[in-house]
Amino acid sequence: MAEFEGKTQLSGMAGEIRSATTSEQFDLGGYTELRATDLIKSAFSSPLTEPTKMIRFTFVVGGGKLVRSKYNDDLSKWMIAALREVGYTADNSAAETFDSQGTFKQQHDTGQNLKYIIVYPRVTCSEKPAGGGAAQEAVVDRSSPEYIACACESATFKDMVNSKVVSYKQKKHLLQVLQASADRFQEVEAKLISGAALTASEQAIYDSNSGADTEKITWLQAEIKRMVDEGKLTRGEKADLLQSIESNLVSTEKEIAEATAEGKPKKVEKLAVKKDAIAARKVAVSAITPIQHRLSQGEAIQKLYQRLFPLLALEDKGRSMSLTLADLKTLEEKSDIEEAINNLENASRGWFVEDADFAALCQAEAAAAKETYAKKAAAAAGKKPSGGLGGAKTGAGKASTTSGWGTVSGKKAGSGSMGGGGAKKSTNSGFAAAFGDDDD
């Protein structure tokens, strides 16, 4: 990568990025897959040498109908693929701190109606020893779920979990965040007690801690246990938990064998009780009928799909025959409906939801809406549902849904809404599922 040794080696946007010393924003309107890939590889394949502090780069990759034509629909996908190819990873909580180097996140500014990919580059200044200059200013993302969870008071924390961290998997992730934060706070506190000076980032950690780590962790652990006891696990969560239980069982059996060989009957007896408890837990978890969560805005999303499906059928009709002016006028609404669906999906995204899990939730809403639409179309035509949507009349009625906790039954979307969170762009919305496979 000799080409990156000097900023004079590159020109254009890549050269601007390599020579930047402050955070910058770039518009990628008109970029093709080749240009986007070359930009990322040229700019981010090696650490930036010019910055003296942590910076970030914001790339505009899409927006609302007024600017949508400037950007290829796949631009975000190309950018993400290229970033991953050079070793960058997605991190929703990334901020302008050295520990966010080599990460990126997607963001949708609903005010300006623009979509961004924000890149936190690797920088060589993070490797330089402290001292001899101005202290690194601590940059804390006070809007991140991690910061809010650690900084808020206990009562607020419980309300937040109930609305934005609803699944077992989300709660497990949050528990790890709290435990890591508590450990780090104890390290900082010990350093302060010893009389040593804190760095800017350490001072930020100390100042932002609510002092209620133990209470939050204890309460959250009880919530996680309650979800298991009440059988509120998805299929994937059940499988992961059973795998963990099986691993504990094997480990305990190994300890029993070692204690037996060492002639320690009391330890063997204690371990046997532990083994029985683990085995009983395995039986209980194995008997759980998995649930399927829903997006918190699922009802509204499905109503929009009922308006979208006939437009998709009309658009498909236009591929084989000419449409009337009235048809073309009708189709003008399609992009607005698609954007509204995407916005509601993003608004439904809870905290600590992985991309694949979020995509599955969006696809489940689309599949459920498709099923409802097909049934109404078939009823209007006086025949049984065939699964096809082409040429069907508009189904304007309310989508069939349930409330409370649901159980997985075939391909039908269950219930248990996912809490609404930050407006992260859906990397795989339910649109594809509307006319594709119905598989979970």
Side-chain angles (χ1 to χ4, degrees), residues 212-382:
D213 288 339
T214 301
E215 182 181 352
K216 291 177 184 176
I217 289 171
T218 301
W219 179 82
L220 187 59
Q221 287 174 329
E223 284 295 291
I224 291 171
K225 182 179 184 301
R226 180 183 61 79
M227 290 195 75
V228 176
D229 293 342
E230 295 178 2
K232 294 178 180 178
L233 301 177
T234 64
R235 183 180 291 110
E237 291 167 347
K238 175 182 175 180
D240 290 344
L241 182 55
L242 282 174
Q243 184 177 15
S244 176
I245 291 173
E246 183 62 33
S247 177
N248 289 339
L249 196 57
V250 170
S251 177
T252 302
E253 289 173 342
K254 183 178 178 181
E255 289 183 67
I256 290 175
E258 291 174 351
T260 301
E262 294 170 358
K264 299 179 178 178
K266 289 186 178 180
K267 185 176 181 180
V268 170
E269 184 178 351
K270 183 177 180 180
L271 289 171
V273 173
K274 178 182 176 181
K275 177 185 174 183
D276 290 343
I278 296 173
R281 184 170 176 79
K282 180 179 178 181
V283 172
V285 173
S286 298
I288 291 175
T289 300
I291 64 169
Q292 183 170 320
H293 292 292
R294 287 195 59 192
L295 295 176
S296 61
Q297 298 293 325
E299 294 278 359
I301 289 170
Q302 290 200 24
K303 287 180 180 179
L304 286 171
Y305 269 120
Q306 302 309 309
R307 294 168 55 193
L308 178 64
F309 289 147
L311 298 182
L312 293 174
L314 182 59
E315 186 177 57
D316 187 59
K317 172 186 172 185
R319 294 190 177 95
S320 58
M321 60 186 295
S322 298
L323 298 179
T324 66
L325 289 176
D327 288 337
L328 294 174
K329 183 68 175 177
T330 300
L331 281 176
E332 290 180 359
E333 189 184 21
K334 174 176 171 286
S335 61
D336 290 337
I337 295 176
E338 289 176 333
E339 184 172 350
I341 290 174
N342 186 67
N343 289 341
L344 286 176
E345 287 174 340
N346 292 332
S348 296
R349 184 165 187 159
W351 289 352
F352 314 117
V353 179
E354 295 181 3
D355 288 347
D357 294 333
F358 180 58
L361 290 168
C362 294
Q363 290 166 2
E365 296 294 349
K370 175 184 174 182
E371 181 180 356
T372 299
Y373 182 84
K375 287 180 179 178
K376 289 182 178 180

Side-chain angles (χ1 to χ4, degrees), residues 17-30:
I17 292 172
R18 296 295 305 176
S19 61
T21 57
T22 58
S23 297
E24 303 282 354
Q25 178 170 310
F26 299 96
D27 191 317
L28 299 188

Side-chain angles (χ1 to χ4, degrees), residues 17-154:
I17 292 172
R18 296 295 305 176
S19 61
T21 57
T22 58
S23 297
E24 303 282 354
Q25 178 170 310
F26 299 96
D27 191 317
L28 299 188
Y31 263 61
T32 62
E33 181 176 10
L34 180 60
R35 287 185 68 193
T37 301
D38 285 346
L39 170 66
I40 295 302
K41 290 184 177 179
S42 298
F44 299 116
S45 287
S46 66
L48 304 188
T49 58
E50 296 300 315
T52 56
K53 63 180 182 179
M54 188 59 194
I55 62 175
R56 73 178 188 176
F57 295 100
T58 302
F59 298 96
V60 184
V61 295
K65 62 182 179 180
L66 295 179
V67 298
R68 185 181 296 126
S69 60
K70 289 177 56 180
Y71 308 95
N72 192 291
D73 291 342
D74 292 325
L75 180 55
S76 293
K77 181 176 68 176
W78 299 335
M79 291 283 288
I80 290 171
L83 284 164
R84 285 176 172 157
E85 192 171 338
V86 296
Y88 280 57
T89 58
D91 183 355
N92 251 4
S93 62
E96 285 183 57
T97 54
F98 287 134
D99 57 1
S100 289
Q101 292 182 83
T103 65
F104 63 89
K105 65 182 179 182
Q106 298 180 81
Q107 195 171 80
H108 183 193
D109 185 336
T110 54
Q112 299 187 52
N113 208 6
L114 293 175
K115 298 173 182 178
Y116 308 103
I117 289 181
I118 302 173
V119 178
Y120 298 89
R122 298 187 180 95
V123 290
T124 56
C125 63
S126 66
E127 302 167 2
K128 297 175 183 178
Q136 167 75 15
E137 180 183 354
V139 181
V140 178
D141 184 359
R142 296 178 182 273
S143 65
S144 71
E146 289 82 357
Y147 176 87
I148 295 172
C150 296
C152 69
E153 297 300 322
S154 184

